[in-house]
Amino acid sequence: MLAALDHTAGTVLAQLDVGEKTNEITCFQPLLDTVAALAGAVVTSDAMHTQREHADYLVTGRSAHYIVIVKGNQKKLRKQLKSPPWHAIPLQDRTRETGHGRSEIRRIKAATVNKLLFPHAAQAVQLKRRRTNRKTGKVTIKTIYAVTSLTADRATPARLATLIRGHWTIEALHHIRDVTFAEDASQLRTGNAPRAMATWRNLAIGALRLAGARNIATALRHNAREPRRPLALLGLT
């Protein structure tokens, strides 16, 4: 299943079954074709979807913007992004976060670069993540490069950092489905059953989040105690 997720609400806007004879790349545009309100939105995606056709579709076809992570599938572009004198560019934003047994410092720099090897690209982005395991003290540093169609006057480095970080909302959704709903342990294998159950799980998570639930597991237990509560949550009386 390929899904489009709203960063802010954490709800699934659309999903599409990726067939056995295709892949996620070919499903990107058909999925977003089902999302009506895309004009002016900023779309983030996994590095797999750092594709020129996707960028053209978003900017030219849907009047949207993008931020894409650049990895090995775009070697020339990644080489170009590593070439600017980043050491000479002042640090533009820094955030620190602690949780899950580690502390993480994220530093971001952005620069307007001409003739980037990607359609509609307006800025190059360098993001450095420094993670410290609070138990072992082990430190890992990772440098990430990205490009965006957002110009400097439309998105500050702090805003870009927030948008890139927001993409991991999809990982939070997968974590809830795997851990809280035990999706990986499901014995459903035949027909449309796995897809249907994924849809129901996404619906339940989305409904609870829109109702203000901060902990999905706690909210599920609360609603399970009284059969009228889920109906009221969905506006059914």
Side-chain angles (χ1 to χ4, degrees):
M1 299 292 292
L2 181 64
L5 184 78
D6 178 4
H7 282 209
T8 304
T11 55
V12 173
L13 304 177
Q15 62 184 21
L16 190 65
D17 190 11
V18 180
E20 293 181 3
K21 296 183 179 181
T22 184
N23 57 53
E24 288 190 13
I25 295 175
T26 60
C27 293
F28 182 88
Q29 294 185 27
L31 171 70
L32 293 182
D33 281 341
T34 66
V35 181
L38 206 57
V42 181
V43 177
T44 65
S45 58
D46 293 340
M48 176 190 298
H49 295 291
T50 304
Q51 306 288 335
R52 290 166 174 79
E53 295 82 3
H54 294 355
D56 266 329
Y57 165 79
L58 290 172
V59 177
T60 304
R62 301 299 304 276
S63 299
H65 288 282
Y66 66 78
I67 300 177
V68 294
I69 303 300
V70 181
K71 292 185 178 179
N73 62 327
Q74 295 287 346
K75 292 181 180 179
K76 291 183 179 179
L77 177 59
R78 182 171 173 80
K79 182 178 179 180
Q80 187 182 29
L81 291 174
K82 293 173 70 174
S83 64
W86 290 107
H87 63 279
I89 299 174
L91 180 66
Q92 294 159 326
D93 187 65
R94 179 183 183 276
T95 58
R96 181 167 186 158
E97 189 175 277
T98 302
H100 305 289
R102 69 185 182 220
S103 63
E104 181 175 276
I105 298 173
R106 294 185 288 273
R107 299 178 174 89
I108 192 169
K109 297 179 180 181
T112 299
V113 181
N114 295 324
K115 298 181 180 180
L116 283 170
L117 300 173
F118 204 74
H120 314 288
Q123 292 191 84
V125 180
Q126 184 197 68
L127 179 68
K128 285 193 174 185
R129 293 198 308 235
R130 186 179 190 274
R131 288 178 176 174
T132 303
N133 186 306
R134 300 178 69 190
K135 184 177 181 180
T136 65
K138 182 180 178 180
V139 176
T140 58
I141 299 175
K142 187 174 183 179
T143 301
I144 297 169
Y145 294 97
V147 292
T148 178
S149 60
L150 293 162
T151 56
D153 61 323
R154 293 181 67 97
T156 64
R159 174 62 175 157
L160 293 175
T162 299
L163 289 168
I164 293 172
R165 180 65 174 167
H167 179 71
W168 293 103
T169 306
I170 191 71
E171 297 301 327
L173 174 70
H174 292 162
H175 179 78
I176 291 169
R177 281 170 42 179
D178 291 343
V179 176
T180 304
F181 287 92
E183 188 170 68
D184 284 349
S186 174
Q187 297 300 306
L188 292 173
R189 296 287 187 272
T190 59
N192 292 322
R195 177 181 179 180
M197 288 306 301
T199 301
W200 286 115
R201 292 178 187 115
N202 286 340
L203 173 63
I205 295 167
L208 291 171
R209 280 179 168 165
L210 290 174
R214 297 180 64 86
N215 186 300
I216 298 299
T218 300
L220 286 172
R221 290 192 293 270
H222 172 77
N223 280 275
R225 294 188 188 105
E226 168 54 58
R228 288 172 291 187
R229 287 173 182 169
L231 296 176
L233 186 73
L234 296 171
L236 302 174
T237 56

